[in-house]
Amino acid sequence: QQPVQSPQAVILREGEDAVINCSSSKALYSVHWYRQKHGEAPVFLMILLKGGEQKGHEKISASFNEKKQQSSLYLTASQLSYSGTYFCGTHTTDSWGKFQFGAGTQVVVTP
Amino acid sequence: DSGVTQTPKHLITATGQRVTLRCSPRSGDLSVYWYQQSLDQGLQFLIQYYNGEERAKGNILERFSAQQFPDLHSELNLSSLELGDSALYFCASSVHPSGANVLTFGAGSRLTVL
């Protein structure tokens, strides 16, 4: 089952913050975050495994709440280069190999 | 260059036809995933192979089939094509499909069905 992402889209001014949420109805083994620029391939940002760890990539960080089967991606002090569509991808504990993505969150950062 | 090679990059064909998309995974990766992305839509999981064997299936139509060969390259076959099959088809590879391994995506094959 596909994870559910929210919001669908967000518009930011440079320097503003945003949070993108990803939730699953099934127990998660891992959550991955990818960013896709228009017409390009998705690019890996970070991976979070069971254990509730938090990771960071420049000013982009993420958390994983194993109990709630939720992950959040935090865009801090956004830059123009952060524009793109962000996808969370999940592996559930009962579906080995079935790596599904959410519908995506379109992020537009304006000057 | 991600190391995942997809061919062809662009393909235009007519309804009812059959096409084959090819993917060579990154060196050392044993697992291949196929995804379909329709215009401005999300990534729909189609199928996954590990070391030549099918390991997971998603919403793949019966008109579509895939395989992974001994040299680990994979092919996605699309037959009896319909207008709605027009999409960007991505292949991704990972070392192992355990969920702890990162997926590396190819540049995609854009299919247009007229």
Side-chain angles (χ1 to χ4, degrees):
Chain A
Q1 192 158 359
Q2 285 182 274
V4 177
Q5 271 186 250
S6 64
Q8 195 171 2
V10 61
I11 300 175
L12 302 165
R13 288 190 184 274
E14 260 187 304
E16 290 183 340
D17 303 339
V19 180
I20 301 171
N21 298 303
C22 175
S23 64
S24 172
S25 59
K26 295 194 170 188
L28 293 175
Y29 174 74
S30 67
V31 179
H32 301 214
W33 287 95
Y34 292 76
R35 179 172 61 207
Q36 184 181 31
K37 303 276 186 177
H38 186 68
E40 298 180 6
V43 174
F44 171 75
L45 292 176
M46 63 191 76
I47 181 173
L48 301 104
L49 303 177
K50 283 178 63 173
E53 61 181 301
Q54 186 157 350
K55 285 203 169 179
H57 172 78
E58 297 176 344
K59 291 184 180 176
I60 299 175
S61 62
S63 63
F64 178 21
N65 186 322
E66 189 181 335
K67 287 184 180 179
K68 292 186 176 180
Q69 308 307 327
Q70 292 176 350
S71 178
S72 295
L73 186 73
Y74 306 93
L75 306 182
T76 306
S78 58
Q79 306 169 13
L80 294 176
S81 62
Y82 287 2
S83 292
T85 301
Y86 290 77
F87 292 97
C88 70
T90 58
H91 263 106
T92 58
T93 55
D94 67 346
S95 59
W96 192 76
K98 197 169 185 178
F99 190 75
Q100 306 231 53
F101 286 92
T105 296
Q106 186 177 11
V107 173
V108 176
V109 182
T110 62
Chain B
D1 183 5
S2 68
V4 179
T5 304
Q6 287 190 249
T7 57
K9 284 188 170 28
H10 300 275
L11 193 54
I12 301 174
T13 188
T15 54
Q17 296 297 305
R18 173 190 169 95
V19 299
T20 297
L21 310 180
R22 182 187 167 104
C23 170
S24 293
R26 205 175 53 145
S27 177
D29 286 357
L30 301 179
S31 190
V32 169
Y33 305 74
W34 285 99
Y35 291 89
Q36 178 192 56
Q37 187 173 41
S38 301
L39 188 62
D40 293 329
Q41 298 295 310
L43 295 154
Q44 296 298 318
F45 173 72
L46 295 178
I47 199 164
Q48 186 257 327
Y49 285 85
Y50 174 64
N51 207 17
E53 292 188 18
E54 179 187 310
R55 290 303 183 104
K57 219 169 189 177
N59 300 324
I60 187 167
L61 299 172
E62 283 191 12
R63 300 183 286 109
F64 295 1
S65 65
Q67 55 182 321
Q68 185 180 29
F69 294 87
D71 66 353
L72 300 177
H73 90 272
S74 177
E75 293 181 356
L76 179 66
N77 300 297
L78 316 174
S79 62
S80 302
L81 286 168
E82 302 175 359
L83 296 177
D85 297 328
S86 294
L88 195 51
Y89 290 84
F90 284 108
C91 164
S93 72
S94 69
V95 173
H96 186 274
S98 70
N101 292 276
V102 173
L103 270 65
T104 302
F105 282 81
S109 292
R110 183 172 295 280
L111 173 66
T112 302
V113 182
L114 301 175

